[in-house]
Amino acid sequence: LLCLCLAGVLLAPGCRAAQGRFAYKLLHDLFANYSSALRPVEDTDRALNVTLQVTLSQIIDMDERNQVLTSYLWVRQAWLDAHLTWDKDDYGGIDSIRIPSSYVWRPDIILYNNADEHFGGSMETNVVLRSDGHIMWDSPAITKSSCKVDVSYFPFDGQRCRLTFGSWTYNGNQIDLRNRLDTGDLTDFVENVEWEVLGMPATRNVITYGCCSEPYPDVTYTLLLRRRASFYIFNLLLPCIMVSFLAPLGFYLPADSGEKVSLGVTVLLALTVFQLLVAESMPPSESVPLIGKYYIATMTMITASTALTIFIMNIHHCGPGARPVPPWARRLILHHMARLCCVYEVGESCKSPQQALGGGGSRGDAGGPWESPGEGEVGAEAGVCPWNHCLCHHDALLRNVSYIAGCFRRHRANQRRTGEWKKVAKVMDRFFMWIFFLMVFLMSVLVLGNAA
């Protein structure tokens, strides 16, 4: 029957039955006196060569706060079992069989930097056993590995996560672990929405630990990741930039509106909310992320602008009892800074000095009722009072007019002083508005420049 199968005659069902009988016989013969507890070498003084190849299938999660990378890997291990060889001609030409991995000896290759609390290993899959004794074991595994996360340039950061594989009990004199390729396999990688994989180089290291004098080889795969920053730009960075540009506009608000301080406090609270959102996802480390530095600088600037707004409002509301504007302030602020900030005719009264003088004349005319009774009284008493006795009435009238004129002069001086202080406040508002606009622009450029 075997000869007919090999000759290619139409006896396929019988051929398959013969192959099945040979497979059962092969399995019985191989494991009749086999033990999976011992290292499968003929010479116990020689090291067993084990090759390792890792295929990255998917990045499931990157927990920056706990510094844990969760990934889905396909781990391929290959070695030579000297006790599981056969002549394929004796077993109907069977060159390879697939059997449960628990039947054969397996190297105890584990992930050294495992961060899983349950410490789950690879899945119990079949191994491929060839007639020359070579065993290939492909097993998928979901691993949680510790990864040192550096968030200094978040959200424009990149991470280097290491996956170190090695034997837990066998030293380098017993198992010689080597990487099959110089890099991890990324052909079947499923793209991640947050992270971009730049590469996965593999290196072999031989380390002597403090517990033991023997060398322990390991294979380390370095996963090079770069964060896709679009999500964070549109949800954290751009709102912060737009909100921060509202802070200098508080200087443009009229002082009489009563909303200058409220705007600064509202912007400060909005940035505090964004800062808390970033702090919740970042690890509590000494390295402050780039966006956190931007938030802190912007909040400091807004705090300073609110304090300056309060100071300028105090200047704006200087009453009539305030001191006159010092000469240096009048020369520096009302002339040079006003021209620099393009502030013209701010704080001026509605009337020009000539009109104000004319208004004084009209107010003098308004004093007619004070004079008309005097004149009527003089006219009424003209018949009984001599002309020289009326000089006292003229002196009293002149004193009253002089008093009224002095009141008007003091009132106009107070108005002029108040107007000058308002002019000083408005010029300072415009000056600080442009200064803070420039500061916000420079901070935004510095953040983007450092990110690049």
Side-chain angles (χ1 to χ4, degrees), residues 321-337:
R323 296 180 181 180
V325 178
W328 65 268
R330 183 181 291 107
R331 182 173 58 255
L332 175 64
I333 299 177
L334 300 183
H335 291 83
H336 300 291
M337 289 179 58

Side-chain angles (χ1 to χ4, degrees), residues 2-3 96 106 128 149-150 166 214 224 248-249 277 451:
L2 175 61
C3 295
S96 63
R106 294 172 298 180
V128 179
V149 178
D150 184 11
E214 297 85 1
L224 306 179
L249 292 178
L277 291 176

